[in-house]
């Protein structure tokens, strides 16, 4: 069973829809036992970092998530909250990835919104995905390049499109909204064996 | 490189796709779920659904329709029409929409933009602006282009950005329906004022119009309706043509 973490931050339904299409049942839940016992965990999120962190804390999820042992996939704000800290609302985050989240300088249009390709892809998430495939991004803050960077996107500045450390995976883009390439990446995550 | 977006727009009435000129002479253009699926297959980068009969009863139909669309497609989509309360946004996002578009209700109550952006994030708040030129000035129109407001388009665009809009869908009423191309002047003037993405709308009639809007303006997306519905332009073919002209396009 797959758990999609529900902490009242954004559109989790589309993640569930995507998994269903790929043949995986998923529950949307904030129940700590269900999350701990899930085969895989997806940590989605859209919205503002400090209020999202507050919601995680209210549910005790700030302690649960960093201690999960199964494969975990953070998406968009979920990924940013897995980093050390975000400039958005001066938020101290979960600290899973040794990485800082910063606001894009306004030398080009912000938010970075739309389809972009990624490069320097590492790891199993990118099996059968090429650097000409595009993913759907929408964000004004970005995770810096760090030792956990597993692919790079370039918009205004090169930044971490995905991160990986041990059982923790994360994508800045929305694989559930990224057409066939996004579904391929989700499938690669769902097929991980640990 | 960030790709330019091709965005078909579907006008929805009583659960069907329709197309007309100024809301009269509506032609049925098909089942929106089927049409949406076709566009995804053809390579649309995003979809916009506008509910043109936003009555209470119709709202429920729309939410059900959004659920069906969300189950069938795996690219982002925006829903607009008659959205004026937090509960409207909440229902549509929960049904699976990625963004909502507001127009008249934002002009009536600009703080709505901030309310929605704070609650749901700027990324899901699209402000649609219908603009028409009077002499040297551009003015904002509401109620489907029927009522002129006192807002100059330039001032309003800046204001919606400051209030937290994530994107502007800019329709030129002067060019809409003419099929003579997008309003390059207006798009260039507004993109000098704001730093959020602008979707060009109104005037698309042929493939060269898309080349022109992407080469000559900072618009990050281009929206059109009937030319796609009635098969005048196939999205896949359009994207191939744009790519040949070195415009960044997703395949």
């Amino acid at each position: 069973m797959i758990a999609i973490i529900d902490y009242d931050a954004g559109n989790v339904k589309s993640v569930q829809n995507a998994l269903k299409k790929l043949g995986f049942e998923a529950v949307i839940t904030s129940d700590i036992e269900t999350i701990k016992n899930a085969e895989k965990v997806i940590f989605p999120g859209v919205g503002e970092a400090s209020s999202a962190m507050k919601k995680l804390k209210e549910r005790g999820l700030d302690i649960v998530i960093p201690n999960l042992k199964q494969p975990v996939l953070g998406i968009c704000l979920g990924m940013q909250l897995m980093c050390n800290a975000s400039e958005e609302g001066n938020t101290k985050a979960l600290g899973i990835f040794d990485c800082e989240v910063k606001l894009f300088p306004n030398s080009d249009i912000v938010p970075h919104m739309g389809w972009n390709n990624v490069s320097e892809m590492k790891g199993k998430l990118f099996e059968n995905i090429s650097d000409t495939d595009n993913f759907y991004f929408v964000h004004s803050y970005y995770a810096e390049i760090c030792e956990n960077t597993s692919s790079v996107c370039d918009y205004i500045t090169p930044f971490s499109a995905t991160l990986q450390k041990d059982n923790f995976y994360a994508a800045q883009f929305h694989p559930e909204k990224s057409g066939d390439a996004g579904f391929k990446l989700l499938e690669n995550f769902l097929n991980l064996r640990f | 490189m960030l790709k330019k977006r091709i965005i078909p727009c579907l006008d929805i009435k009583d659960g069907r796709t329709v197309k007309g000129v100024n809301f009269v002479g509506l032609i049925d253009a098909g089942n929106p779920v089927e049409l949406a699926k076709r566009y995804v297959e053809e390579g649309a980068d995003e979809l916009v659904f506008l509910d043109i009969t936003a009555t209470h009863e119709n709202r429920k139909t729309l939410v059900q329709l959004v659920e069906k669309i969300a189950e069938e497609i795996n690219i982002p989509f925006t829903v607009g029409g008659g959205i004026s309360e937090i509960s409207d946004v909440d229902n549509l996002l929960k049904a699976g929409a990625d963004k909502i578009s507001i127009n008249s209700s934002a002009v009536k109550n600009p703080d709505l933009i901030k309310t929605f952006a704070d609650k749901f994030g700027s990324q899901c708040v699209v402000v649609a602006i219908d603009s028409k030129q009077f002499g040297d000035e551009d003015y904002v129109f509401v109620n489907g282009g029927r009522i002129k407001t006192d807002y100059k388009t330039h001032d309003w665009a800046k204001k919606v950005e400051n209030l937290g809009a994530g994107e502007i869908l800019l329709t030129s009423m002067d060019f809409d329906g003419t099929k003579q191309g997008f309003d390059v002047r207006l798009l260039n003037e507004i993109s000098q004022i704001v730093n959020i993405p602008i979707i060009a709308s109104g005037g698309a009639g042929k493939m060269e119009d898309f080349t022109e809007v992407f080469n000559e303006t900072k618009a990050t997306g281009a929206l059109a309706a009937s030319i796609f519905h009635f098969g005048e332009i196939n999205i896949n073919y359009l994207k191939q043509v744009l790519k040949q002209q070195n415009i960044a396009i997703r395949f």
Side-chain angles (χ1 to χ4, degrees):
Chain A
M1 201 261 310
I2 318 285
I4 300 170
I5 300 179
D6 177 18
Y7 58 111
D8 198 22
N11 180 2
V12 293
K13 188 85 174 110
S14 54
V15 178
Q16 193 183 29
N17 280 338
L19 299 192
K20 197 176 164 189
K21 265 183 257 179
L22 291 167
F24 291 84
E25 279 300 315
V27 288
I28 298 171
T29 181
S30 58
D31 179 68
I32 288 175
E33 284 311 304
T34 311
I35 293 169
K36 277 186 180 168
N37 292 320
E39 197 185 308
K40 296 203 170 64
V41 175
I42 296 187
F43 177 36
V46 291
E48 196 271 332
S50 65
S51 56
M53 238 354 252
K54 205 172 138 222
K55 286 172 189 165
L56 285 180
K57 283 183 183 162
E58 282 165 10
R59 292 163 171 81
L61 293 166
D62 59 319
I63 309 293
V64 174
I65 296 170
N67 290 305
L68 291 171
K69 302 291 177 232
Q70 66 274 60
V72 178
L73 177 65
I75 298 174
C76 197
L77 180 63
M79 159 162 150
Q80 297 187 354
L81 295 178
M82 289 161 86
C83 296
N84 281 334
S86 171
E87 282 186 356
E88 189 176 26
N90 274 324
T91 307
K92 189 179 178 310
L94 299 174
I96 295 167
F97 301 119
D98 191 13
C99 193
E100 309 302 319
V101 177
K102 300 196 159 175
L103 178 64
F104 277 121
N106 63 0
S107 54
D108 201 344
I109 294 165
V110 176
H112 173 219
M113 186 183 283
W115 298 81
N116 212 330
N117 58 312
V118 303
S119 59
E120 298 170 53
M121 301 115 80
K122 286 178 223 145
K124 288 186 173 166
L125 284 198
F126 289 102
E127 268 175 28
N128 298 316
I129 291 173
S130 91
D131 57 11
T132 56
D133 283 320
N134 288 286
F135 299 94
Y136 189 81
F137 290 83
V138 48
H139 58 124
S140 300
Y141 293 79
Y142 67 95
E144 287 186 309
I145 304 284
C146 65
E147 61 175 326
N148 304 131
T149 301
S150 56
S151 71
V152 175
C153 180
D154 193 354
Y155 184 75
I156 299 180
T157 176
F159 65 89
S160 294
T162 56
L163 294 164
Q164 197 220 323
K165 183 186 176 188
D166 305 325
N167 57 318
F168 293 99
Y169 297 77
Q172 178 60 64
F173 50 82
H174 287 271
E176 77 281 12
K177 286 286 167 183
S178 294
D180 294 344
F183 270 40
K184 187 72 225 168
L185 185 133
L186 276 179
E187 210 171 13
N188 289 341
F189 171 75
L190 295 165
N191 289 330
L192 284 175
R193 290 283 169 265
F194 241 65
Chain B
M1 188 188 271
L2 183 65
K3 309 302 182 293
K4 302 293 185 183
R5 289 170 289 163
I6 301 295
I7 308 172
C9 176
L10 290 77
D11 287 339
I12 306 293
K13 181 176 184 287
D14 304 325
R16 298 285 292 179
T17 318
V18 293
K19 191 59 206 171
V21 181
N22 299 326
F23 301 101
V24 292
L26 291 173
I27 307 166
D28 190 300
N31 176 333
V33 180
E34 292 307 314
L35 203 50
K37 278 165 73 178
R38 193 186 97 198
Y39 289 145
V40 173
E41 279 161 25
E42 283 183 16
D45 297 302
E46 223 172 297
L47 299 174
V48 172
F49 298 85
L50 290 180
D51 180 17
I52 61 168
T53 49
T55 61
H56 179 68
E57 200 41 48
N58 208 66
R59 176 83 9 198
K60 285 188 218 154
T61 316
L62 182 71
V63 169
Q64 286 166 353
L65 176 66
V66 168
E67 279 173 359
K68 278 189 207 142
I69 293 162
E71 280 170 18
E72 293 290 343
I73 69 170
N74 56 8
I75 62 167
F77 70 99
T78 303
V79 179
I83 296 167
S84 59
E85 294 174 23
I86 283 187
S87 63
D88 295 332
V89 182
D90 204 32
N91 289 337
L92 291 167
L93 295 182
K94 278 194 178 131
D98 299 287
K99 310 179 196 178
I100 56 92
S101 166
I102 47 176
N103 187 339
S104 305
S105 61
V107 174
K108 216 174 289 169
N109 175 15
D111 285 338
L112 208 55
I113 300 168
K114 186 169 166 25
T115 305
F116 290 171
D118 287 347
K119 172 108 177 96
F120 304 102
S122 287
Q123 82 294 329
C124 78
V125 183
V126 181
V127 176
I129 302 178
D130 293 341
S131 177
K132 193 172 165 66
Q133 196 175 19
F134 277 87
D136 286 341
E137 299 285 357
D138 299 285
Y139 283 89
V140 176
F141 278 65
V142 292
N143 287 42
R146 274 171 245 146
I147 299 172
K148 179 175 175 285
T149 72
D150 294 332
Y151 277 116
K152 286 177 186 165
T153 307
H154 298 55
D155 300 338
W156 178 237
K158 190 69 206 165
K159 188 170 168 115
V160 307
E161 177 183 45
N162 290 339
L163 287 167
E167 195 167 31
I168 290 173
L169 169 53
L170 183 58
T171 301
S172 165
M173 293 172 59
D174 301 302
F175 284 57
D176 198 31
T178 65
K179 297 197 173 184
Q180 64 176 54
F182 293 96
D183 194 338
V184 170
R185 174 201 63 86
L186 178 69
L187 287 160
N188 276 330
E189 289 183 18
I190 302 305
S191 57
Q192 276 176 15
I193 297 169
V194 300
N195 201 41
I196 52 177
I198 296 176
I199 299 170
S201 159
K206 52 191 184 305
M207 291 198 260
E208 293 75 21
D209 299 336
F210 291 86
T211 311
E212 181 189 54
V213 80
F214 290 138
N215 277 336
E216 294 182 21
T217 80
K218 282 170 75 181
T220 60
L223 177 140
S226 56
I227 52 162
F228 296 139
H229 302 336
F230 300 119
E232 290 168 45
I233 292 182
N234 173 287
I235 294 172
N236 183 268
Y237 186 61
L238 168 64
K239 290 179 89 174
Q240 287 178 35
V241 169
L242 292 175
K243 192 173 182 175
Q244 279 164 13
Q245 310 198 29
N246 293 322
I247 293 167
I249 285 293
R250 171 186 78 107
F251 278 99

